[in-house]
């Protein structure tokens, strides 16, 4: 049991790992340790904080993206976002979301960020289109010229 300096149990210690960050598991006759859920959750929270998702998008998840009824045409976009997050990392492949204002591109992007962080521990960073365009004007020019071609 994790103890304080006076040798009394720490009340905030995880019951699975006793505050060590490692929990014992048994597979058949083999005993070993693996990262404890408490550390995985703490890492996910830290990565989510570092992702800089704006407050107005904190509610966005892949699971709550609406694509039924009048939004049925958005189903392929949601499927592509889910597939990207599930199969990540992909070799030399990315995902570019293009569409009119208000169709859900940011919702899907934030949903992918959260999924990658929570299920795979992948560090991600939310960036607004304007920030990217300002930092990379040549990239903006490339996409603008390809739209006209």
């Amino acid at each position: 049991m994790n103890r304080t300096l006076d040798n009394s149990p720490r009340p905030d210690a995880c019951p699975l790992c006793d505050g060590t960050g490692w929990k014992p598991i048994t597979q058949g006759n083999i005993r070993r340790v693996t990262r404890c859920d408490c550390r995985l959750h703490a890492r996910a929270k830290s990565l989510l904080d570092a992702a800089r998702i704006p407050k107005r998008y904190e509610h966005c998840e892949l699971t709550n993206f609406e694509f039924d009824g009048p939004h049925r045409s958005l189903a392929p976009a949601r499927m592509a976002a889910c597939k990207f997050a599930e199969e990540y990392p992909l070799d030399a492949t990315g995902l570019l979301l293009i569409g009119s204002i208000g169709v859900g591109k940011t919702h899907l992007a934030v949903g992918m960020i959260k999924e990658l962080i929570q299920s795979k521990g992948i560090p991600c960073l939310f960036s607004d289109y304007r920030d990217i365009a300002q930092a990379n004007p040549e990239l903006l020019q490339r996409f603008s010229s390809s739209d006209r071609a």
Side-chain angles (χ1 to χ4, degrees), residues 39-83:
R39 291 290 169 102
L40 297 175
H41 293 301
R43 176 168 162 73
K45 183 178 178 344
S46 173
L47 289 173
L48 278 172
D49 291 343
R52 298 187 342 204
I53 297 170
K55 286 241 183 262
R56 68 181 179 272
Y57 300 122
E58 285 181 348
H59 71 282
C60 298
E61 309 272 346
L62 291 176
T63 56
N64 66 11
F65 183 77
E66 293 184 24
F67 60 95
D68 291 332
H71 308 289
R72 186 168 310 259
S73 64
L74 300 176
R78 182 182 179 270
M79 288 175 48
C82 289
K83 182 178 179 185

Side-chain angles (χ1 to χ4, degrees), residues 14-139:
C14 172
L16 295 176
C17 70
D18 203 25
T20 65
W22 299 96
K23 65 180 181 181
I25 61 169
T26 304
Q27 293 176 325
N29 293 336
I30 300 172
R31 288 187 44 136
R32 60 186 187 100
V33 294
T34 188
R35 263 299 175 204
C36 185
D37 299 341
C38 69
R39 291 290 169 102
L40 297 175
H41 293 301
R43 176 168 162 73
K45 183 178 178 344
S46 173
L47 289 173
L48 278 172
D49 291 343
R52 298 187 342 204
I53 297 170
K55 286 241 183 262
R56 68 181 179 272
Y57 300 122
E58 285 181 348
H59 71 282
C60 298
E61 309 272 346
L62 291 176
T63 56
N64 66 11
F65 183 77
E66 293 184 24
F67 60 95
D68 291 332
H71 308 289
R72 186 168 310 259
S73 64
L74 300 176
R78 182 182 179 270
M79 288 175 48
C82 289
K83 182 178 179 185
F84 181 84
E86 182 181 318
E87 295 179 358
Y88 187 87
L90 304 168
D91 293 328
T93 305
L95 183 63
L96 178 63
L97 303 173
I98 300 173
S100 303
I101 294 171
V103 296
K105 299 177 300 292
T106 303
H107 188 124
L108 289 174
V110 170
M112 288 186 288
I113 287 172
K114 287 181 165 184
E115 185 64 28
L116 289 170
I117 288 172
Q118 293 168 343
S119 68
K120 299 189 177 190
I122 306 291
C124 298
L125 178 63
F126 178 92
S127 292
D128 186 81
Y129 170 80
R130 290 175 293 265
D131 297 334
I132 296 170
Q134 190 173 27
N136 301 290
E138 69 286 347
L139 184 65

Side-chain angles (χ1 to χ4, degrees), residues 3-18:
R3 301 195 177 265
T4 60
L5 288 177
D6 67 356
N7 210 25
S8 62
R10 273 190 24 203
D12 61 340
C14 172
L16 295 176
C17 70
D18 203 25

